[in-house]
Amino acid sequence: AASDVYKRQPLNEATPPNRFRLARVLDQAPDVLRHLARLGLTLETGLQVLEVLPFDGQMTLLINETEATVSRTLASRLLVVPA
């Protein structure tokens, strides 16, 4: 929805235990997209932030009932909206 554009935020700014859905991937490099696909992170996929490591920002996510980790750098390239 158009109103979602205003609610978009980079995933690295999200905090547990909030739920989001993936709205946009800012990095279109094929290896990044393949990695996201392996994690099950495709557009409109729902996810929950489980944990953020305070010292390096690595995030543990719940994606389709499966835990996955993403770096702060990768998370900063993923735009999410509240689920």
Side-chain angles (χ1 to χ4, degrees), residues 4 7 16-17 22 27 29-30 40-41 45 53 60 65-66 68-70 73 75:
D4 282 352
K7 297 177 188 158
L22 184 59
D27 189 333
L41 260 180
T45 297
L53 295 182
T60 303
E65 308 301 315
T66 303
T69 56
V70 295
T73 302

Side-chain angles (χ1 to χ4, degrees), residues 36-49:
L36 293 174
R38 276 197 300 271
L39 296 179
L41 260 180
T42 52
L43 288 181
E44 298 303 316
T45 297
L47 58 101
Q48 181 178 11
V49 179

Side-chain angles (χ1 to χ4, degrees), residues 18-59:
N18 293 312
R19 295 175 186 272
F20 300 89
R21 60 185 169 79
L22 184 59
R24 184 152 183 235
V25 178
L26 298 177
D27 189 333
Q28 295 295 306
D31 55 340
V32 171
L33 296 176
R34 276 194 298 273
H35 179 67
L36 293 174
R38 276 197 300 271
L39 296 179
L41 260 180
T42 52
L43 288 181
E44 298 303 316
T45 297
L47 58 101
Q48 181 178 11
V49 179
L50 297 180
E51 181 183 27
V52 180
L53 295 182
F55 51 88
D56 73 357
Q58 176 178 285
M59 304 185 87

